[in-house]
Amino acid sequence: MVNPKEIRDYAAGLLEQGRVKSVIGYRRGTAGCFAEPCTLTEPGEAGSLVWDPTCLNNLALYLVKDRKQQAASRTPDRRPIGIVAKGCDSRAVAVLLQENYFKREEVVVIGVSCEGTGVVDPRKLKNSLKGRSALKVEFGGGESIRITTRAGESELPAREVLADRCLECREATPKLHDVLFGESLAERGYDAPFRAVKAAEATSGEARWATWQHHFDRCLRCFACRSVCPLCYCPECVVDSTSFVITPQTSAEEKANRIRWCERSANTAESALYHLTRAIHLAGRCVDCGECERVCPVNIPLRLLNTKLEMEAFEQFDYQAGRDYDRPALISSFRDEDPNSFIR
Amino acid sequence: MSDPSQEPQKFEPRIVAFLCKWCSSAGSDLAGVSRLQYSPNATPITIPCSGSVSPLYILSAFNKGADGVLVSGCHPGDCHYMEGNYLARRKLYLVKELLQFVGLEPDRFRMSWVSAAEGAKFAQVVDGFVKDIRTLGPQNRLRR
């Protein structure tokens, strides 16, 4: 099991030696037992770092945010950043490196292995506790999670409370790291990768449309999925043209003729267009960290759309985002044996 | 005699065809100058290369009311830009899979390789596509 003290000591060491300007990690949050992301700049603060199954966030997002901040800053601080990364976070960092978003030497990846478990799904945790609130959630060793409530301590099989993405995780140990804490387990007794997608595919087209129509219809267009995604880093999203500046000189014709790929109104077809576009933009890039699904206020299973394309990438093109970061990106490469039979 | 304006309008499929300017577009031209009779339902949009088709074009066409979308490019190995059609093949395979996954009928999106010499093939592809769309009826799923 990973001892959080090791992570703290390492982070403090990095900051003391001045190897990094800051360390992005998790600390105890204010929302119940859940951890929250934090940025440490002083070695003395390293004591607040935690590592337990409530460390839900994908911290790679904050690397992207820092990058954007530095780009806008007059006095950019180009020193490297340390980041505590789970398997999925490390894959996201790998894809960002592949896309030259930053250089390898600009990030120090403090890898932590999820070992036999992963992070909990707050909704599942709530259900399994039947209304009581958890005070503490810890790794129980092996494939179990130890939960402390006011009624006492109990150990649950991890399968009951783990997030869906963790059940289907293909790499619980960060492959890209500068230092690794915890063991790397080859075998985990959970679901096969892409299980949920395959189950959805087994239903008929009509049934799938009925489901997705229902989901797209409920979408609020709050764009939380886009905000939380470490790989949705475009300065201007295709669905909102913020660069179309309307001045007093803008004629009615210009306003009418501007390109609108997608309207912002939250109706079924426009939301479908938004979600499908987002899925395509993440094809071969999505690292299945499941953040979009976690933050969705109306519980749209967004992960399915992305994992569907990841499954095709893996099965048809032998490509995995985050694994093949030394190769050209999925859609900017091809092989002669790519599927051709669907073309007339 | 019945008033034609009172009759229910027959469904005419609206197809958006993205045609590569180096091959399929010339192929459609050849079908025209050869006086081949084929369905007039496809609206051609000439593009520089099938590889330049953004998935957004396809999604947007469906969103704005297309009953079917056809992308047609050069045969593998014949791309004017060496590899554009290979990239298109991979990209549009993903689009096709995604559209099917959310439950759009598989026949609504089609891709074909038509060279500049294949006017007859172009007519045949469009005819076949229109026939399939006719049986499916209007596309209302992604239409706004």
Coordinates of all heavy atoms in Angstrom, one line a residue, chain B residues 27-63:
Chain B
G27 N -15.8 12.7 -61.5 CA -16.6 11.5 -61.8 C -18.0 11.9 -62.0 O -18.7 11.4 -62.9
S28 N -18.5 12.8 -61.1 CA -19.9 13.2 -61.2 C -20.1 14.0 -62.5 O -21.2 13.9 -63.2 CB -20.3 14.0 -60.0 OG -19.8 15.3 -60.1
D29 N -19.1 14.8 -62.9 CA -19.1 15.5 -64.1 C -19.2 14.6 -65.3 O -20.0 14.8 -66.2 CB -17.8 16.3 -64.2 CG -18.1 17.7 -64.8 OD1 -19.2 18.1 -64.8 OD2 -17.1 18.4 -65.2
L30 N -18.4 13.5 -65.2 CA -18.4 12.6 -66.3 C -19.8 11.9 -66.4 O -20.3 11.7 -67.6 CB -17.4 11.5 -66.1 CG -17.2 10.4 -67.1 CD1 -16.8 11.0 -68.5 CD2 -16.2 9.4 -66.7
A31 N -20.4 11.6 -65.3 CA -21.8 11.0 -65.3 C -22.7 12.0 -66.0 O -23.6 11.6 -66.8 CB -22.3 10.7 -63.9
G32 N -22.5 13.3 -65.8 CA -23.3 14.3 -66.4 C -23.1 14.4 -67.9 O -24.1 14.3 -68.7
V33 N -21.8 14.5 -68.3 CA -21.6 14.6 -69.8 C -21.8 13.3 -70.5 O -22.1 13.4 -71.7 CB -20.2 15.2 -70.1 CG1 -20.0 16.5 -69.5 CG2 -19.1 14.2 -69.5
S34 N -21.8 12.2 -69.8 CA -22.2 11.0 -70.5 C -23.7 10.8 -70.6 O -24.2 9.7 -71.0 CB -21.6 9.8 -69.7 OG -20.3 10.0 -69.3
R35 N -24.4 11.8 -70.1 CA -25.9 11.7 -70.1 C -26.5 10.5 -69.4 O -27.5 9.9 -69.8 CB -26.4 11.8 -71.5 CG -25.8 12.8 -72.4 CD -26.7 13.8 -72.7 NE -26.1 15.1 -73.2 CZ -26.8 15.9 -73.9 NH1 -28.0 15.7 -74.3 NH2 -26.2 17.0 -74.3
L36 N -25.9 10.2 -68.3 CA -26.4 9.1 -67.5 C -27.6 9.6 -66.7 O -27.5 10.7 -66.2 CB -25.3 8.5 -66.5 CG -24.1 7.9 -67.2 CD1 -23.1 7.5 -66.1 CD2 -24.6 6.6 -67.9
Q37 N -28.6 8.8 -66.6 CA -29.8 9.2 -65.8 C -29.6 8.7 -64.4 O -29.5 7.5 -64.2 CB -31.1 8.6 -66.4 CG -31.5 9.2 -67.7 CD -32.0 10.7 -67.5 OE1 -32.6 11.0 -66.5 NE2 -31.6 11.5 -68.5
Y38 N -29.5 9.6 -63.4 CA -29.5 9.1 -62.0 C -30.2 10.1 -61.1 O -30.5 11.2 -61.5 CB -28.1 8.8 -61.6 CG -27.1 9.9 -61.5 CD1 -26.9 10.5 -60.2 CD2 -26.5 10.4 -62.6 CE1 -26.0 11.6 -60.1 CE2 -25.6 11.5 -62.5 CZ -25.4 12.1 -61.3 OH -24.5 13.1 -61.1
S39 N -30.4 9.7 -59.9 CA -31.3 10.5 -59.0 C -30.7 11.9 -58.8 O -29.5 12.0 -58.6 CB -31.4 9.8 -57.6 OG -31.6 8.4 -57.8
P40 N -31.6 12.9 -58.8 CA -31.1 14.2 -58.6 C -31.0 14.7 -57.2 O -31.0 15.9 -56.9 CB -32.1 15.0 -59.4 CG -33.4 14.2 -59.3 CD -33.0 12.8 -59.1
N41 N -31.1 13.7 -56.2 CA -31.3 14.1 -54.8 C -30.0 14.5 -54.1 O -30.0 15.0 -53.0 CB -31.8 12.9 -54.0 CG -33.1 12.4 -54.6 OD1 -33.2 12.2 -55.8 ND2 -34.1 12.3 -53.8
A42 N -28.9 14.2 -54.7 CA -27.6 14.6 -54.1 C -27.2 16.0 -54.4 O -27.1 16.4 -55.5 CB -26.5 13.6 -54.5
T43 N -26.9 16.7 -53.3 CA -26.3 18.1 -53.5 C -24.8 18.0 -53.4 O -24.3 17.6 -52.3 CB -26.8 19.0 -52.4 OG1 -28.2 18.9 -52.3 CG2 -26.4 20.4 -52.6
P44 N -24.1 18.2 -54.5 CA -22.6 18.0 -54.4 C -21.9 19.2 -53.8 O -22.3 20.4 -54.0 CB -22.2 17.9 -55.9 CG -23.3 18.6 -56.6 CD -24.5 18.6 -55.8
I45 N -21.0 18.9 -52.9 CA -20.1 20.0 -52.4 C -18.7 19.5 -52.7 O -18.2 18.5 -52.2 CB -20.3 20.1 -50.9 CG1 -21.7 20.6 -50.5 CG2 -19.3 21.1 -50.3 CD1 -22.0 20.7 -49.1
T46 N -18.0 20.3 -53.5 CA -16.7 19.9 -53.9 C -15.7 20.4 -52.8 O -15.7 21.5 -52.3 CB -16.3 20.6 -55.2 OG1 -17.3 20.3 -56.2 CG2 -14.9 20.1 -55.7
I47 N -14.8 19.4 -52.4 CA -13.8 19.7 -51.4 C -12.5 19.4 -52.0 O -12.4 18.6 -52.9 CB -14.1 18.8 -50.2 CG1 -14.4 17.4 -50.6 CG2 -15.2 19.4 -49.3 CD1 -14.4 16.4 -49.6
P48 N -11.4 19.9 -51.4 CA -10.1 19.7 -52.0 C -9.6 18.3 -51.9 O -8.9 17.8 -52.8 CB -9.2 20.6 -51.2 CG -10.0 21.5 -50.4 CD -11.4 20.9 -50.3
C49 N -10.1 17.5 -50.9 CA -9.6 16.1 -50.7 C -10.5 15.5 -49.7 O -11.0 16.2 -48.8 CB -8.2 16.2 -50.1 SG -7.5 14.6 -49.7
S50 N -10.7 14.2 -49.8 CA -11.6 13.5 -48.8 C -11.0 13.7 -47.4 O -11.7 13.7 -46.4 CB -11.9 12.1 -49.2 OG -10.6 11.4 -49.4
G51 N -9.7 13.8 -47.3 CA -9.0 14.0 -46.0 C -9.4 15.3 -45.4 O -9.2 15.5 -44.2
S52 N -9.9 16.3 -46.2 CA -10.2 17.6 -45.6 C -11.6 17.6 -45.0 O -12.0 18.6 -44.5 CB -10.1 18.7 -46.7 OG -11.1 18.6 -47.6
V53 N -12.3 16.5 -45.1 CA -13.7 16.5 -44.5 C -13.5 16.4 -43.0 O -13.1 15.4 -42.5 CB -14.5 15.3 -45.1 CG1 -15.8 15.2 -44.4 CG2 -14.7 15.4 -46.5
S54 N -14.0 17.4 -42.3 CA -14.0 17.4 -40.9 C -15.2 16.6 -40.5 O -16.3 16.7 -41.1 CB -14.0 18.8 -40.3 OG -14.5 18.8 -39.0
P55 N -15.1 15.8 -39.4 CA -16.3 15.1 -38.9 C -17.5 16.1 -38.6 O -18.6 15.7 -38.7 CB -15.8 14.5 -37.6 CG -14.4 14.3 -37.8 CD -13.9 15.4 -38.7
L56 N -17.1 17.3 -38.3 CA -18.1 18.3 -38.1 C -18.9 18.6 -39.3 O -20.1 18.9 -39.1 CB -17.4 19.6 -37.6 CG -18.2 20.7 -36.9 CD1 -18.9 20.0 -35.7 CD2 -17.3 21.8 -36.4
Y57 N -18.4 18.5 -40.5 CA -19.2 18.7 -41.7 C -20.4 17.7 -41.7 O -21.5 18.1 -42.1 CB -18.4 18.5 -43.0 CG -17.2 19.4 -43.2 CD1 -16.4 19.2 -44.3 CD2 -16.9 20.5 -42.4 CE1 -15.4 20.1 -44.6 CE2 -15.9 21.3 -42.7 CZ -15.1 21.1 -43.8 OH -14.0 21.9 -44.0
I58 N -20.0 16.5 -41.4 CA -21.0 15.4 -41.5 C -22.1 15.6 -40.4 O -23.3 15.6 -40.7 CB -20.3 14.1 -41.3 CG1 -19.4 13.9 -42.5 CG2 -21.3 12.9 -41.2 CD1 -18.3 12.9 -42.3
L59 N -21.6 15.8 -39.2 CA -22.6 16.0 -38.1 C -23.4 17.2 -38.3 O -24.6 17.2 -38.1 CB -21.8 16.2 -36.8 CG -21.0 15.0 -36.3 CD1 -20.1 15.4 -35.1 CD2 -21.8 13.8 -36.0
S60 N -22.8 18.3 -38.9 CA -23.5 19.5 -39.1 C -24.6 19.3 -40.2 O -25.7 19.9 -40.2 CB -22.5 20.6 -39.5 OG -23.2 21.8 -39.6
A61 N -24.2 18.5 -41.3 CA -25.2 18.3 -42.3 C -26.4 17.6 -41.8 O -27.5 17.9 -42.1 CB -24.5 17.4 -43.4
F62 N -26.2 16.6 -40.9 CA -27.3 15.9 -40.3 C -28.1 16.8 -39.5 O -29.3 16.8 -39.5 CB -26.8 14.7 -39.5 CG -26.5 13.5 -40.3 CD1 -25.2 12.9 -40.2 CD2 -27.4 12.9 -41.2 CE1 -24.9 11.8 -40.9 CE2 -27.0 11.8 -41.9 CZ -25.8 11.3 -41.8
N63 N -27.4 17.7 -38.8 CA -28.0 18.6 -37.9 C -28.9 19.6 -38.6 O -30.0 20.1 -38.2 CB -27.0 19.4 -37.1 CG -27.5 20.4 -36.1 OD1 -27.5 21.6 -36.4 ND2 -28.0 20.0 -35.0

